[in-house]
Amino acid sequence: MSTAPLTRTEMAQRVAADIPEGAYVNLGIGLPTSVSNFLDPAKEVILHTENGMLGMGPEAHGDEIDPDLINAGKIAVTALPGASYFHHADSFGMMRGGHLDIAVLGAFQVSASGDLANWHTGAPGSIPAVGGAMDLAVGAKKVFVMMELTTKAGDSKLVEKLSYPVTGLGCVTRIFTEVAVFDIDSSAAAATGVSVTELFGGATVASLRELTGLPLIDATSTTASTTALA
Amino acid sequence: MVSKIVDDVDAAVADIPDGATVMIGGFGQAGQPVQLIDALIRHGASGLTIVNNNAGNGEVGLALLIKSGFVAKMICSFPRQIDSQIFDEAYRAGRVELEVVPQGNLAERIRAAGAGIGGFFTPTGYGTLLAEGKESRIIDGRGYVFESPLHADFALIKAHRADRWGNLVYRKTARNFGPIMATAAAITIAQVSEVVPLGELDPENVITPGIFVNRVVLAAGKASS
């Protein structure tokens, strides 16, 4: 176990380790995009970009840059052998239809029942912009959230109930933070939803219970944090 | 002989009236029919409702159309970007109305219009602010929101190659909204980089069949048939 909280780079590495070969994956804009840097080149993982491509390759540089070939963040990218292009209704159909295995998203907050808030701060005067956030939240088989556990003010972003506007209800299955990995079982059968499966940088389940105010289940000794395809 | 080729972009947009609903293809700059938009600005129709994923970037194309004051309403999924300052200012000043639609719902509403569907229930947006005021339903234990089809009077799209029947192929991720917008508008106008002789496009690879396209204009200027 590491002795310091994970850096953002290490968080990206940790997320990448849970993405198995053959997975169809959408990496959200921002921090989640960096996960692609740590996917094992020996494993074939097929990246989806919602503007209309499967088999997205790394960012384009120099002569590779083509204004007609961009990702959802409008960054010039490359296409791998085996790539395909499609229009927007097909792209979101493959998302909404449950064909994507994993979406990795950022978040303002996640609730103990897996509700996600990541599209709108609700602040007065802010211009609402949603993009594909709500589609990704409800569409992927597994929704991984990658975020720092606390706000700048020190408040937990893993909460009993969201205070930010909802993106999707009961959709988040795993949360990767700098101090712990959490699994959420939002099925009705689960007595309490959130388990701690890994700890980093000296955090303890007790300290996380205190921070979040949630009755977290200690699954650090029982859970193998690997993801199998459904 | 059927030919949908129009001589220039100005002629192509000349009958767009004030108050029209106009779909504009593109995701950011990729697939944005900038020359048709420039022609629309010169044409000067006002009070337009514009459907696009975004609300303009920088000071070109859609952003310039908004700056020109011809846009009364934007229907889009992601207006706020680092270079959307023209829209931001127009919106805050109350000059442009905004309808925000989740991106997949936007695409599906356009597709539904083109396919003759009267609306659909989607899980996207259920339980959120964007579902307020809309009909919702639980189907097999899951929440869905009713979304209505989105029609347009005109669609301005960008494609790579066309023939005189209006068959289109696109290029890479510039395809984005083009194929669905082409189906959802009464009049679809395609700006293309190349017009090829009839028969040259492989029918196996045509993405938008010409039935959905009314006018084709060569972006560079002169058309050939």
mmCIF file with all atom_site columns, all heavy atoms in Angstrom, chain A residues 178-191:
data_model
loop_
_atom_site.group_PDB
_atom_site.id
_atom_site.type_symbol
_atom_site.label_atom_id
_atom_site.label_alt_id
_atom_site.label_comp_id
_atom_site.label_asym_id
_atom_site.label_entity_id
_atom_site.label_seq_id
_atom_site.pdbx_PDB_ins_code
_atom_site.Cartn_x
_atom_site.Cartn_y
_atom_site.Cartn_z
_atom_site.occupancy
_atom_site.B_iso_or_equiv
_atom_site.pdbx_formal_charge
_atom_site.auth_seq_id
_atom_site.auth_comp_id
_atom_site.auth_asym_id
_atom_site.auth_atom_id
_atom_site.pdbx_PDB_model_num
ATOM 1  N N   . GLU A 1 178 ? -8.178  9.821  -4.716 1.00 0.00 ? 178 GLU A N   1
ATOM 2  C CA  . GLU A 1 178 ? -6.765  9.791  -4.352 1.00 0.00 ? 178 GLU A CA  1
ATOM 3  C C   . GLU A 1 178 ? -6.512  9.010  -3.062 1.00 0.00 ? 178 GLU A C   1
ATOM 4  O O   . GLU A 1 178 ? -5.401  8.592  -2.800 1.00 0.00 ? 178 GLU A O   1
ATOM 5  C CB  . GLU A 1 178 ? -6.224  11.231 -4.242 1.00 0.00 ? 178 GLU A CB  1
ATOM 6  C CG  . GLU A 1 178 ? -6.600  12.002 -2.979 1.00 0.00 ? 178 GLU A CG  1
ATOM 7  C CD  . GLU A 1 178 ? -8.027  12.549 -2.964 1.00 0.00 ? 178 GLU A CD  1
ATOM 8  O OE1 . GLU A 1 178 ? -8.888  12.053 -3.711 1.00 0.00 ? 178 GLU A OE1 1
ATOM 9  O OE2 . GLU A 1 178 ? -8.273  13.475 -2.171 1.00 0.00 ? 178 GLU A OE2 1
ATOM 10 N N   . VAL A 1 179 ? -7.583  8.789  -2.271 1.00 0.00 ? 179 VAL A N   1
ATOM 11 C CA  . VAL A 1 179 ? -7.388  8.092  -0.998 1.00 0.00 ? 179 VAL A CA  1
ATOM 12 C C   . VAL A 1 179 ? -8.055  6.726  -0.922 1.00 0.00 ? 179 VAL A C   1
ATOM 13 O O   . VAL A 1 179 ? -7.743  5.943  -0.012 1.00 0.00 ? 179 VAL A O   1
ATOM 14 C CB  . VAL A 1 179 ? -7.881  8.949  0.206  1.00 0.00 ? 179 VAL A CB  1
ATOM 15 C CG1 . VAL A 1 179 ? -6.953  10.133 0.423  1.00 0.00 ? 179 VAL A CG1 1
ATOM 16 C CG2 . VAL A 1 179 ? -9.317  9.406  0.002  1.00 0.00 ? 179 VAL A CG2 1
ATOM 17 N N   . ALA A 1 180 ? -8.964  6.428  -1.839 1.00 0.00 ? 180 ALA A N   1
ATOM 18 C CA  . ALA A 1 180 ? -9.652  5.142  -1.764 1.00 0.00 ? 180 ALA A CA  1
ATOM 19 C C   . ALA A 1 180 ? -10.381 4.849  -3.069 1.00 0.00 ? 180 ALA A C   1
ATOM 20 O O   . ALA A 1 180 ? -10.646 5.745  -3.866 1.00 0.00 ? 180 ALA A O   1
ATOM 21 C CB  . ALA A 1 180 ? -10.666 5.140  -0.617 1.00 0.00 ? 180 ALA A CB  1
ATOM 22 N N   . VAL A 1 181 ? -10.683 3.543  -3.246 1.00 0.00 ? 181 VAL A N   1
ATOM 23 C CA  . VAL A 1 181 ? -11.594 3.120  -4.303 1.00 0.00 ? 181 VAL A CA  1
ATOM 24 C C   . VAL A 1 181 ? -12.879 2.636  -3.623 1.00 0.00 ? 181 VAL A C   1
ATOM 25 O O   . VAL A 1 181 ? -12.822 1.907  -2.628 1.00 0.00 ? 181 VAL A O   1
ATOM 26 C CB  . VAL A 1 181 ? -10.987 1.979  -5.153 1.00 0.00 ? 181 VAL A CB  1
ATOM 27 C CG1 . VAL A 1 181 ? -11.987 1.520  -6.226 1.00 0.00 ? 181 VAL A CG1 1
ATOM 28 C CG2 . VAL A 1 181 ? -9.676  2.433  -5.799 1.00 0.00 ? 181 VAL A CG2 1
ATOM 29 N N   . PHE A 1 182 ? -14.016 3.099  -4.148 1.00 0.00 ? 182 PHE A N   1
ATOM 30 C CA  . PHE A 1 182 ? -15.316 2.737  -3.586 1.00 0.00 ? 182 PHE A CA  1
ATOM 31 C C   . PHE A 1 182 ? -16.128 1.994  -4.636 1.00 0.00 ? 182 PHE A C   1
ATOM 32 O O   . PHE A 1 182 ? -16.115 2.372  -5.799 1.00 0.00 ? 182 PHE A O   1
ATOM 33 C CB  . PHE A 1 182 ? -16.120 3.994  -3.211 1.00 0.00 ? 182 PHE A CB  1
ATOM 34 C CG  . PHE A 1 182 ? -15.433 4.915  -2.239 1.00 0.00 ? 182 PHE A CG  1
ATOM 35 C CD1 . PHE A 1 182 ? -14.580 5.925  -2.697 1.00 0.00 ? 182 PHE A CD1 1
ATOM 36 C CD2 . PHE A 1 182 ? -15.660 4.796  -0.871 1.00 0.00 ? 182 PHE A CD2 1
ATOM 37 C CE1 . PHE A 1 182 ? -13.964 6.793  -1.806 1.00 0.00 ? 182 PHE A CE1 1
ATOM 38 C CE2 . PHE A 1 182 ? -15.051 5.667  0.028  1.00 0.00 ? 182 PHE A CE2 1
ATOM 39 C CZ  . PHE A 1 182 ? -14.202 6.662  -0.438 1.00 0.00 ? 182 PHE A CZ  1
ATOM 40 N N   . ASP A 1 183 ? -16.844 0.972  -4.203 1.00 0.00 ? 183 ASP A N   1
ATOM 41 C CA  . ASP A 1 183 ? -17.823 0.321  -5.075 1.00 0.00 ? 183 ASP A CA  1
ATOM 42 C C   . ASP A 1 183 ? -19.218 0.647  -4.568 1.00 0.00 ? 183 ASP A C   1
ATOM 43 O O   . ASP A 1 183 ? -19.446 0.663  -3.350 1.00 0.00 ? 183 ASP A O   1
ATOM 44 C CB  . ASP A 1 183 ? -17.624 -1.202 -5.070 1.00 0.00 ? 183 ASP A CB  1
ATOM 45 C CG  . ASP A 1 183 ? -16.636 -1.637 -6.143 1.00 0.00 ? 183 ASP A CG  1
ATOM 46 O OD1 . ASP A 1 183 ? -16.106 -0.759 -6.852 1.00 0.00 ? 183 ASP A OD1 1
ATOM 47 O OD2 . ASP A 1 183 ? -16.393 -2.850 -6.271 1.00 0.00 ? 183 ASP A OD2 1
ATOM 48 N N   . ILE A 1 184 ? -20.124 0.906  -5.499 1.00 0.00 ? 184 ILE A N   1
ATOM 49 C CA  . ILE A 1 184 ? -21.498 1.213  -5.111 1.00 0.00 ? 184 ILE A CA  1
ATOM 50 C C   . ILE A 1 184 ? -22.426 0.151  -5.667 1.00 0.00 ? 184 ILE A C   1
ATOM 51 O O   . ILE A 1 184 ? -22.419 -0.125 -6.867 1.00 0.00 ? 184 ILE A O   1
ATOM 52 C CB  . ILE A 1 184 ? -21.932 2.600  -5.643 1.00 0.00 ? 184 ILE A CB  1
ATOM 53 C CG1 . ILE A 1 184 ? -21.037 3.682  -5.046 1.00 0.00 ? 184 ILE A CG1 1
ATOM 54 C CG2 . ILE A 1 184 ? -23.405 2.864  -5.309 1.00 0.00 ? 184 ILE A CG2 1
ATOM 55 C CD1 . ILE A 1 184 ? -21.423 5.086  -5.452 1.00 0.00 ? 184 ILE A CD1 1
ATOM 56 N N   . ASP A 1 185 ? -23.187 -0.450 -4.779 1.00 0.00 ? 185 ASP A N   1
ATOM 57 C CA  . ASP A 1 185 ? -24.233 -1.375 -5.199 1.00 0.00 ? 185 ASP A CA  1
ATOM 58 C C   . ASP A 1 185 ? -25.555 -0.663 -4.981 1.00 0.00 ? 185 ASP A C   1
ATOM 59 O O   . ASP A 1 185 ? -26.001 -0.511 -3.845 1.00 0.00 ? 185 ASP A O   1
ATOM 60 C CB  . ASP A 1 185 ? -24.156 -2.655 -4.372 1.00 0.00 ? 185 ASP A CB  1
ATOM 61 C CG  . ASP A 1 185 ? -25.199 -3.680 -4.827 1.00 0.00 ? 185 ASP A CG  1
ATOM 62 O OD1 . ASP A 1 185 ? -26.052 -3.316 -5.660 1.00 0.00 ? 185 ASP A OD1 1
ATOM 63 O OD2 . ASP A 1 185 ? -25.148 -4.823 -4.352 1.00 0.00 ? 185 ASP A OD2 1
ATOM 64 N N   . SER A 1 186 ? -26.139 -0.185 -6.068 1.00 0.00 ? 186 SER A N   1
ATOM 65 C CA  . SER A 1 186 ? -27.375 0.597  -5.933 1.00 0.00 ? 186 SER A CA  1
ATOM 66 C C   . SER A 1 186 ? -28.619 -0.262 -6.109 1.00 0.00 ? 186 SER A C   1
ATOM 67 O O   . SER A 1 186 ? -29.722 0.245  -6.202 1.00 0.00 ? 186 SER A O   1
ATOM 68 C CB  . SER A 1 186 ? -27.381 1.761  -6.931 1.00 0.00 ? 186 SER A CB  1
ATOM 69 O OG  . SER A 1 186 ? -27.216 1.275  -8.240 1.00 0.00 ? 186 SER A OG  1
ATOM 70 N N   . SER A 1 187 ? -28.425 -1.587 -6.153 1.00 0.00 ? 187 SER A N   1
ATOM 71 C CA  . SER A 1 187 ? -29.601 -2.450 -6.265 1.00 0.00 ? 187 SER A CA  1
ATOM 72 C C   . SER A 1 187 ? -30.411 -2.380 -4.978 1.00 0.00 ? 187 SER A C   1
ATOM 73 O O   . SER A 1 187 ? -29.877 -2.132 -3.897 1.00 0.00 ? 187 SER A O   1
ATOM 74 C CB  . SER A 1 187 ? -29.170 -3.895 -6.536 1.00 0.00 ? 187 SER A CB  1
ATOM 75 O OG  . SER A 1 187 ? -28.425 -4.391 -5.447 1.00 0.00 ? 187 SER A OG  1
ATOM 76 N N   . ALA A 1 188 ? -31.702 -2.604 -5.097 1.00 0.00 ? 188 ALA A N   1
ATOM 77 C CA  . ALA A 1 188 ? -32.601 -2.467 -3.957 1.00 0.00 ? 188 ALA A CA  1
ATOM 78 C C   . ALA A 1 188 ? -32.227 -3.441 -2.839 1.00 0.00 ? 188 ALA A C   1
ATOM 79 O O   . ALA A 1 188 ? -32.468 -3.173 -1.666 1.00 0.00 ? 188 ALA A O   1
ATOM 80 C CB  . ALA A 1 188 ? -34.040 -2.709 -4.410 1.00 0.00 ? 188 ALA A CB  1
ATOM 81 N N   . ALA A 1 189 ? -31.605 -4.552 -3.209 1.00 0.00 ? 189 ALA A N   1
ATOM 82 C CA  . ALA A 1 189 ? -31.273 -5.580 -2.223 1.00 0.00 ? 189 ALA A CA  1
ATOM 83 C C   . ALA A 1 189 ? -30.132 -5.174 -1.299 1.00 0.00 ? 189 ALA A C   1
ATOM 84 O O   . ALA A 1 189 ? -29.988 -5.703 -0.195 1.00 0.00 ? 189 ALA A O   1
ATOM 85 C CB  . ALA A 1 189 ? -30.911 -6.878 -2.938 1.00 0.00 ? 189 ALA A CB  1
ATOM 86 N N   . ALA A 1 190 ? -29.332 -4.207 -1.758 1.00 0.00 ? 190 ALA A N   1
ATOM 87 C CA  . ALA A 1 190 ? -28.161 -3.844 -0.962 1.00 0.00 ? 190 ALA A CA  1
ATOM 88 C C   . ALA A 1 190 ? -28.591 -3.047 0.268  1.00 0.00 ? 190 ALA A C   1
ATOM 89 O O   . ALA A 1 190 ? -29.285 -2.055 0.168  1.00 0.00 ? 190 ALA A O   1
ATOM 90 C CB  . ALA A 1 190 ? -27.204 -3.017 -1.812 1.00 0.00 ? 190 ALA A CB  1
ATOM 91 N N   . ALA A 1 191 ? -28.177 -3.528 1.426  1.00 0.00 ? 191 ALA A N   1
ATOM 92 C CA  . ALA A 1 191 ? -28.565 -2.875 2.666  1.00 0.00 ? 191 ALA A CA  1
ATOM 93 C C   . ALA A 1 191 ? -27.960 -1.480 2.722  1.00 0.00 ? 191 ALA A C   1
ATOM 94 O O   . ALA A 1 191 ? -28.625 -0.494 3.002  1.00 0.00 ? 191 ALA A O   1
ATOM 95 C CB  . ALA A 1 191 ? -28.112 -3.690 3.859  1.00 0.00 ? 191 ALA A CB  1
#
